[in-house]
Amino acid sequence: MTGTALVELKNLEKEFAGTKALKGVSLSFLAGEVHGLLGENGAGKSTLIKILTGVYSPSAGEIFLEGTPVRVSNPPEAHRLGLGAVYQDAELVSSFTVGQNILLGNEPGWLRISDRAIHEEATAILAEMGIELDASRNAGTLSAAEMQLVTLATLFHRRYKLIVLDEPTARLSAAESEVLFRIIERFKKQGIAIVYISHRLKEVQEICDRATILRGGLVSGTLNRGEVTEDRVTELMVDRNRAELSTYNDGSRVRLDVLLEATNLATTNLSPLSFTIRAGEVLGITGPVGGGMEDVARALGGVVRHTGTVNLRGKAIDVSTPIAARRSGVALIPEDRRKQALFPALSVAENICLPVLNRLERFFTVRPGAMKEYADDVMDQLAVRPRNAAIQVRFFSGGNQQKVVIGKWMSAGASLYIIAEPTNGVDVGAIKEIYDIILQLAQQGAAVLLVSSSLREMLALADRVMVIHDGNRVAEAPKTNWTYDELLAVTLSGKSKTAA
Amino acid sequence: MTQAEQKSLTQVKTMQKSMAKTQPAGRTESVAMRFLRRWGTIIVLVLAAVGFSIASPYFATASNLNNILFSMIVSALVSLGLTWVVISGSFDLSIGLTVTTSSILVAFLIPTLGPWAAIAVALVAACMIGAVNGILVTYGRLSGIVVTLGVMFVLSGINIFITGGYQVPVGYDETAFLYLGQGKLGIIGVPVLILLAVFLVALIAATRTRIGHYIAAVGDNPMAAFYSGINVYRWVILAFVLSALMSGIAGVIVTSISSSAQPVGGEGYLLEAFAAVFLGATVLGKGKPHLLGTLVGVFFLYMVDSGMNMVGFPFAARHIFQGLVLIIAVGANALLNREEVHLKFI
């Protein structure tokens, strides 16, 4: 470690529609260090990274690169400055070879392209990084882990100065993660700064030289290697001042009858898992992003290939495809609203009525006015604003869009509601309303499976909380047995202290 | 390298090997499947040729091959041009009318400018049509289908406007110009040689230079290209210009072949070109358009046309057969390249 500040952030602030996501963050990344970045959901991690990579512009504050102030106005500008990020779904040209991808935009020679020269150079780069991959292999045949390695090789070749890794091990096996860590070591030797975002404490302890914990848009502390302990991190992460949400599930909605029984549910990312949910019960599943919790939701919703049996009210149901799952009474409210749940160019009424169109039909045509009537009714129940069913959904705020997604399924009469990350990108004001709606679903006697990385959400809404880490259930207990700190500790470490 | 480093490196290597074992990346397919995917279209082409040869003694002759090649020149040039645009990820519906426009311009300008300047003006005009298409699709943020459809209508109007709806003749004394379309070197027609030359230059540009490399990258994953510091818009515009340029060359040859320019009739090339490009995408199992495949695709369509003509099928039957061949070839290719979920219907 050389100790020079490569990138220095001074009093960075970012305001979104009156809410401050960052309230003056000052932080420095040194050349050749791996700098861990930790924090709860909403602590400002992703905002900070997006400012650093040019996706957002800061409302106030300055960024210094090697001592000179810079403006990172857009992602290509960030790339030009040598600030890069590797996200989970790495972007590669799938019809090109590994070598062609690594050298894309920097091919040797002027006009002529020689595949041999490209592959020679790419092979040298891969060897220098210690990655054993055939440069002439087609990028379309790579696994997720290998794609990340190729993306890293690309950044390495372009001599990036700072590389952000956002939950890089989320889709990697333990052996693959080890490969990644070795490569990070090599990056350090080249004097590249690595910003390492992770919810897995063990990784942070293992590879980070320093770790900064963000809390409520502020730096709450920077720890050196060796000081990163579960207790210290938990203490710095938990925001004692944050107002508790006024919505709380007191457990009164749970009925006696078991509604859903999943036996040995398994996918490629999830070891066989069995669990039950009673009528009116909210089962919360949490854990690190990519650790397997998402697959529970996807498997039950029929969107990912899985094994195991699922019983609803004692009868086996088919959830092999999304169509079968819906027929069986399963409603999936997916995590990515824009891509997976909404029809942005359709009106609110058209979105809400989609699952119940057959009920609004007479002689194969939708009754005039029935759609508006129905949508108005749902919008009143969920307090969607502005209350105008004719407006296209894309003009609504994140919170109101989420209400529309839930509203879409509400009266479809599902027995099981699977709700993934319901408050992702939702404005603070709407969070409570969405929580109330979720509890209302349980009140009506449905089983609710809540999959979320927000621990506050777990403790506010769930009756029972399960933690899934690396595809395995590491803990499960009634909510009342958990404190926030314990739950955070288990989520971070993947080890259960309170195996209840 | 220190010992510790070497140790860690071997560790990494063993881990990567175990990775490779647990996660067999890519499709595991049988040799037969791979062979079929690669050679399927060619096999069908050869079988069809053998069939026609058995049915008609005149099919497998040098003069018939010459006829087939001669008849496909214009279509082949247009299809090769379209291939660039489809590779770049867009569509160009204006190519057929670009042929007509270039054809008319040449015929119209020869009396005043002489043949060579007339050709130059026609080709520059064609490139400008391509540039307009490309700029509207990129900087103008318009859809390729809509823009080129609009340009197609505009061109058809301009063509009729210039000609008044009548054909534009080329004087019989323009022997140098007419040689381009009607001359012969040995038994091979000059336009066939022009087609081959254009094809070879285009093939080198596509496979050996930055041009083909970047247009392919942009068409496959524009976001990745953008983040790699590639000027995405420039390459898309270039693809449209190349497409229009090849249609322009086709237009010049059409005029030379028939000693006149027709104000209508260019639209037909468009549909043939799309058929050839998508048929060509299945050649050699590439699954995406490429120039050699397109040329094979055009040849396939014209060979079948010629063969069925000789065997005595009615004109209508030939269209039915060509349509079915296209659907079956592309369908079989899709079957062999099974995706997990298919949710794209363009």
Side-chain angles (χ1 to χ4, degrees):
Chain A
M1 205 198 299
T2 54
T4 42
L6 181 79
V7 174
E8 197 168 356
L9 312 175
K10 278 195 186 151
N11 288 313
L12 277 191
E13 287 182 23
K14 180 68 189 175
E15 201 179 298
F16 293 106
T19 328
K20 276 196 173 169
L22 292 182
K23 301 170 184 164
V25 170
S26 296
L27 196 54
S28 64
F29 301 114
L30 310 180
E33 80 163 339
V34 181
H35 197 124
L37 203 56
L38 295 146
E40 292 183 283
N41 282 14
K45 274 177 312 187
S46 55
T47 310
L48 186 68
I49 292 316
K50 283 181 176 162
I51 289 176
L52 205 52
T53 52
V55 180
Y56 295 156
S57 300
S59 316
E62 282 177 300
I63 303 172
F64 292 87
L65 178 65
E66 291 168 326
T68 44
V70 288
R71 279 198 56 207
V72 194
S73 43
N74 50 43
E77 178 68 12
H79 279 252
R80 205 184 56 73
L81 291 167
L83 310 172
V86 182
Y87 298 104
Q88 286 177 37
D89 35 1
E91 290 269 358
L92 293 179
V93 179
S94 57
S95 67
F96 277 23
T97 63
V98 168
Q100 287 171 336
N101 268 293
I102 292 176
L103 291 171
L104 188 61
N106 292 291
E107 291 82 359
W110 177 69
L111 180 69
R112 213 180 103 83
I113 290 272
S114 153
D115 274 341
R116 226 185 62 212
I118 286 177
H119 288 153
E120 266 166 27
E121 194 166 337
T123 306
I125 293 164
L126 289 170
E128 195 184 340
M129 291 179 68
I131 302 174
E132 205 175 73
L133 250 181
D134 183 358
S136 60
R137 221 170 107 190
N138 209 303
T141 67
L142 299 175
S143 71
E146 290 165 329
M147 275 166 110
Q148 276 196 358
L149 295 182
V150 172
T151 312
L152 280 172
T154 310
L155 301 184
F156 180 78
H157 166 65
R158 294 191 204 138
R159 304 282 167 225
Y160 272 58
K161 292 168 185 154
L162 177 133
I163 297 174
V164 180
L165 298 174
D166 189 3
E167 294 279 356
T169 56
R171 286 201 204 152
L172 308 190
S173 69
E176 291 167 340
S177 304
E178 279 306 319
V179 175
L180 180 76
F181 296 160
R182 300 291 167 210
I183 289 163
I184 290 175
E185 284 298 317
R186 275 164 187 272
F187 276 32
K188 277 175 66 173
K189 290 209 182 79
Q190 301 279 337
I192 297 169
I194 306 275
V195 179
Y196 193 93
I197 303 173
S198 179
H199 280 100
R200 293 164 174 84
L201 196 62
K202 212 175 122 264
E203 288 173 11
V204 175
Q205 288 168 332
E206 194 178 323
I207 69 157
C208 291
D209 300 303
R210 293 194 297 162
T212 293
I213 293 101
L214 290 180
R215 180 171 66 191
L218 288 164
V219 173
S220 73
T222 298
L223 302 173
N224 288 316
R225 187 192 279 271
E227 294 171 356
V228 182
T229 61
E230 214 172 288
D231 292 343
R232 282 287 283 155
V233 171
T234 309
E235 188 196 319
L236 288 169
M237 258 173 87
V238 179
D239 190 352
R240 311 278 167 203
N241 300 325
R242 191 155 146 180
E244 287 302 323
L245 291 158
S246 45
T247 301
Y248 183 79
N249 183 0
D250 55 11
S252 62
R253 295 168 183 82
V254 183
R255 308 183 189 170
L256 282 174
D257 46 324
V258 170
L259 199 64
L260 177 94
E261 190 177 2
T263 317
N264 291 326
L265 196 67
T267 70
T268 47
N269 282 328
L270 181 70
S271 309
L273 179 74
S274 301
F275 59 90
T276 59
I277 309 178
R278 293 174 190 278
E281 186 181 30
V282 180
L283 171 64
I285 299 186
T286 188
V289 173
M293 62 166 175
E294 299 89 346
D295 270 34
V296 181
R298 293 195 200 127
L300 287 175
V303 291
V304 74
R305 224 174 264 170
H306 58 272
T307 55
T309 54
V310 180
N311 287 352
L312 198 67
R313 295 193 184 85
K315 268 197 291 188
I317 57 165
D318 176 11
V319 291
S320 56
T321 64
I323 299 165
R326 200 194 124 191
R327 257 194 220 123
S328 308
V330 178
L332 173 64
I333 296 160
E335 54 192 302
D336 190 340
R337 260 194 309 282
R338 280 168 205 280
K339 276 196 192 149
Q340 301 166 340
L342 282 177
F343 302 92
L346 298 187
S347 72
V348 171
E350 285 164 318
N351 268 281
I352 289 179
C353 296
L354 196 79
V356 293
L357 273 184
N358 54 354
R359 268 198 261 153
L360 305 175
E361 274 170 359
R362 192 164 47 190
F363 302 123
F364 304 108
T365 53
V366 177
R367 271 181 290 129
M371 236 160 95
K372 187 181 176 308
E373 223 170 85
Y374 179 84
D376 279 344
D377 191 38
V378 172
M379 285 176 90
D380 281 342
Q381 274 184 55
L382 303 185
V384 180
R385 282 172 302 265
R387 191 187 159 288
N388 182 347
I391 301 179
Q392 291 180 16
V393 156
R394 63 195 162 118
F395 297 123
F396 282 73
S397 71
N400 283 299
Q401 287 184 349
Q402 185 68 6
K403 289 185 210 164
V404 170
V405 175
I406 299 177
K408 191 175 126 183
W409 292 110
M410 232 175 77
S411 313
S415 314
L416 169 67
Y417 287 89
I418 306 163
I419 306 177
E421 304 286 358
T423 52
N424 238 354
V426 166
D427 34 307
V428 181
I431 290 180
K432 183 186 153 39
E433 291 173 329
I434 287 170
Y435 284 176
D436 288 339
I437 295 164
I438 292 171
L439 291 185
Q440 207 182 313
L441 293 173
Q443 183 74 51
Q444 289 163 3
V448 177
L449 179 70
L450 176 69
V451 177
S452 171
S453 53
S454 160
L455 303 183
R456 287 175 193 280
E457 218 150 273
M458 288 291 129
L459 294 176
L461 297 180
D463 290 296
R464 260 181 308 140
V465 178
M466 184 196 292
V467 179
I468 293 185
H469 209 283
D470 290 336
N472 293 302
R473 166 168 44 193
V474 291
E476 182 180 340
K479 175 176 64 181
T480 44
N481 290 13
W482 292 101
T483 65
Y484 187 90
D485 296 24
E486 281 168 1
L487 187 56
L488 179 62
V490 173
T491 316
L492 284 170
S493 66
K495 279 176 294 195
S496 170
K497 280 181 184 167
T498 48
Chain B
M1 207 185 270
T2 66
Q3 229 178 345
E5 264 178 43
Q6 244 164 9
K7 199 184 150 206
S8 78
L9 197 64
T10 38
Q11 233 177 330
V12 171
K13 281 182 182 162
T14 41
M15 270 162 190
Q16 283 177 330
K17 269 177 203 146
S18 69
M19 240 164 92
K21 226 176 277 169
T22 47
Q23 283 197 335
R27 274 181 297 275
T28 46
E29 53 177 13
S30 67
V31 180
M33 282 284 266
R34 208 179 308 157
F35 182 81
L36 262 185
R37 199 146 57 85
R38 203 172 156 79
W39 298 110
T41 317
I42 308 268
I43 291 170
V44 174
L45 191 148
V46 170
L47 287 180
V50 169
F52 287 131
S53 308
I54 293 169
S56 162
Y58 305 108
F59 183 78
T61 58
S63 78
N64 189 40
L65 179 67
N66 216 357
N67 280 341
I68 294 173
L69 288 177
F70 194 83
S71 60
M72 69 182 239
I73 293 162
V74 175
S75 205
L77 283 167
V78 175
S79 306
L80 290 173
L82 178 66
T83 310
W84 289 105
V85 174
V86 179
I87 291 174
S88 81
S90 194
F91 285 98
D92 189 346
L93 305 182
S94 68
I95 42 178
L97 267 298
T98 306
V99 174
T100 310
T101 305
S102 148
S103 166
I104 290 170
L105 275 179
V106 161
F108 201 74
L109 293 174
I110 283 178
T112 45
L113 297 179
W116 310 120
I119 291 173
V121 171
L123 295 187
V124 168
C127 288
M128 279 167 60
I129 295 169
V132 167
N133 281 333
I135 288 167
L136 287 176
V137 166
T138 53
Y139 292 102
R141 297 167 181 241
L142 298 171
S143 124
I145 293 181
V146 176
V147 165
T148 55
L149 187 68
V151 168
M152 178 180 129
F153 280 118
V154 170
L155 289 180
S156 83
I158 290 176
N159 292 343
I160 292 174
F161 195 71
I162 295 178
T163 59
Y166 299 106
Q167 66 166 357
V168 185
V170 176
Y172 285 110
D173 50 346
E174 293 288 350
T175 44
F177 177 73
L178 295 179
Y179 183 75
L180 291 178
Q182 300 172 9
K184 278 195 172 182
L185 271 178
I187 57 159
I188 303 170
V190 171
V192 175
L193 295 175
I194 294 176
L195 167 64
L196 284 180
V198 170
F199 169 71
L200 284 178
V201 171
L203 191 66
I204 289 169
T207 55
R208 295 283 159 85
T209 70
R210 227 156 262 257
I211 298 170
H213 198 69
Y214 286 169
I215 289 178
V218 165
D220 190 347
N221 190 344
M223 196 56 98
F226 179 63
Y227 278 120
S228 304
I230 290 172
N231 190 335
V232 174
Y233 285 6
R234 178 201 293 165
W235 298 105
V236 172
I237 293 170
L238 181 63
F240 275 98
V241 170
L242 286 173
S243 168
L245 174 62
M246 292 197 174
S247 291
I249 296 173
V252 171
I253 291 179
V254 164
T255 302
S256 178
I257 286 177
S258 53
S259 309
S260 70
Q262 305 299 325
V264 288
E267 308 85 34
Y269 299 121
L270 170 68
L271 300 179
E272 264 176 23
F274 270 96
V277 167
F278 288 106
L279 191 57
T282 68
V283 173
L284 299 180
K286 300 249 188 197
K288 59 192 172 91
H290 57 120
L291 293 172
L292 178 64
T294 299
L295 196 65
V296 172
V298 178
F299 183 77
F300 196 134
L301 293 177
Y302 276 83
M303 185 195 82
V304 165
D305 207 48
S306 152
M308 291 184 79
N309 189 19
M310 284 186 173
V311 176
F313 282 100
F315 185 69
R318 283 180 256 160
H319 274 204
I320 292 172
F321 185 75
Q322 284 175 343
L324 292 178
V325 164
L326 181 67
I327 292 169
I328 290 167
V330 176
N333 205 51
L335 263 183
L336 295 170
N337 293 310
R338 204 70 186 251
E339 314 155 76
E340 183 100 325
V341 188
H342 172 78
L343 294 171
K344 240 172 93 187
F345 311 109
I346 193 160

